[in-house]
Amino acid sequence: MAFRSAISLSFVCLVLLALAVGSNAGGIAIYWGQNGNEGTLSETCGTGNYEYVILSFLSSFGNGQTPMINLAGHCDPYSNGCTGLSSDIKSCQANGVKVMLSLGGASGSYSLASTADAKQVATYLWNNFLGGQSSSRPLGAAVLDGIDFDIEGGTDLHWNDLARFLSGYSKRGKKVHLTAAPQCPFPDAWVGNALNTGLFDFVWVQFYNNPPCQYSSGDIGNLEDSWKQWTSDITATKIFLGLPASPEAAGSGFIPVSDLTLTVLPAIKGSAKYGGVMLWSKYYDDQSGYSSAIKNSV
């Protein structure tokens, strides 16, 4: 009896240890939408590699502009050609994948002129992509899981207002997740004020095209220091390590699979805020197979 109890106790300890080790397992977020040769949205979610898919981009909005989505070669928004994505979005969500709409991008035309302008943009997003009602929803009837802030230009004004207005819609039913993709130099020049609201669920920090805080071969110090600052100074549910999915996906900052799995991830996964890895983008991931190679280590 005592022998069997000892075995049972050992088994329980092993199970608890496995749960503790697995509790900091992360997910992979992927940007999709800027290359028509990256497969469909449904195929992207069907790989099983991603927990979050970020549709990129709503590239024109604010300051009196008519909001316009740009999904490159996937569909033509000017002829309502992107409404067919509704079934793909629902398919993703049925597979447990959260689908976000990203605002901005590196080459968009966007800015917020005032608090009232931010409120107007939030209302537009709610009615056209989230849980509201509109006769002209660009992606059809599907209700997205949230809004991503990939602000890389314009000004830093009123993004905090936009975050507050969008967050307020969570009270109407389905939670509106807020995510952001700041650059790794801290604080981010564009969305630093917005992040200080503490309203963001997932923050995928771009540790690429930023040599002062990214990984360079064999030297993890700059990345680790920056990671510690982000995880300690930003109130968010989870922080993600944002990386290019292949050397061609960015000017600098690509981390070879072995360096990521053996050196970088072990150094940052101890953080309670570690959420996983964000990759730019699905097209480059298709070329490199990066997400498949790192998935079991994330």
Side-chain angles (χ1 to χ4, degrees):
M1 193 69 155
F3 178 66
R4 286 187 62 187
S5 298
I7 291 177
S8 300
L9 189 60
S10 298
F11 177 73
V12 169
C13 289
L14 284 171
V15 169
L16 290 173
L17 182 62
L19 287 171
V21 171
S23 64
N24 247 17
I28 298 177
I30 193 85
Y31 277 82
W32 177 94
Q34 283 302 293
N35 193 301
N37 298 314
E38 62 192 344
T40 68
L41 180 58
S42 181
E43 289 166 350
T44 297
C45 295
T47 64
N49 285 357
Y50 316 116
E51 287 192 17
Y52 312 91
V53 175
I54 310 139
L55 309 182
S56 49
F57 293 102
L58 186 75
S59 55
S60 298
F61 63 90
N63 204 15
Q65 299 179 87
T66 300
M68 186 54 65
I69 197 167
N70 175 351
L71 296 177
H74 289 288
C75 56
D76 177 16
Y78 293 93
S79 61
N80 288 327
C82 299
T83 56
L85 286 172
S86 187
S87 58
D88 286 34
I89 293 165
K90 291 176 181 177
S91 162
C92 291
Q93 292 168 332
N95 285 330
V97 178
K98 285 187 168 58
V99 184
M100 330 291 294
L101 173 65
S102 187
L103 310 180
S107 57
S109 166
Y110 51 85
S111 64
L112 296 174
S114 62
T115 300
D117 191 24
K119 186 173 186 178
Q120 195 169 18
V121 170
T123 302
Y124 171 82
L125 293 169
W126 169 254
N127 286 330
N128 287 276
F129 297 101
L130 299 168
Q133 299 290 324
S134 169
S135 60
S136 57
R137 290 174 68 93
L139 301 178
V143 176
L144 296 179
D145 293 289
I147 301 295
D148 177 60
F149 289 48
D150 185 16
I151 308 305
E152 301 186 36
T155 76
D156 65 346
L157 300 175
H158 305 296
W159 301 113
N160 52 346
D161 294 325
L162 181 60
R164 288 190 187 97
F165 289 129
L166 286 170
S167 179
Y169 282 114
S170 289
K171 296 171 185 154
R172 300 200 185 184
K174 179 177 176 179
K175 177 177 170 59
V176 177
H177 290 278
L178 296 183
T179 69
Q183 312 291 315
C184 60
F186 189 92
D188 181 77
W190 310 113
V191 294
N193 290 334
L195 292 174
N196 284 336
T197 62
L199 296 172
F200 285 77
D201 298 287
F202 312 120
V203 178
W204 10 81
V205 185
Q206 296 185 42
F207 283 90
Y208 53 95
N209 295 334
N210 289 296
C213 46
Q214 70 192 31
Y215 177 82
S216 57
S217 185
D219 180 9
I220 195 176
N222 290 345
L223 183 149
E224 197 171 11
D225 289 345
S226 180
W227 175 264
K228 286 176 180 173
Q229 184 163 33
W230 278 100
T231 53
S232 61
D233 290 3
I234 290 297
T235 301
T237 309
K238 294 292 180 184
I239 308 284
F240 286 65
L241 180 72
L243 298 175
S246 77
E248 295 75 32
S252 63
F254 176 73
I255 303 180
V257 170
S258 59
D259 288 17
L260 182 72
T261 57
L262 298 176
T263 304
V264 178
L265 289 179
I268 67 172
K269 285 181 75 173
S271 166
K273 284 187 184 173
Y274 169 79
V277 173
M278 174 274 278
L279 297 176
W280 176 269
S281 63
K282 174 59 165 52
Y283 171 76
Y284 294 104
D285 193 27
D286 285 349
Q287 311 307 306
S288 66
Y290 198 77
S291 64
S292 295
I294 69 170
K295 184 183 175 189
N296 290 334
S297 301
V298 171

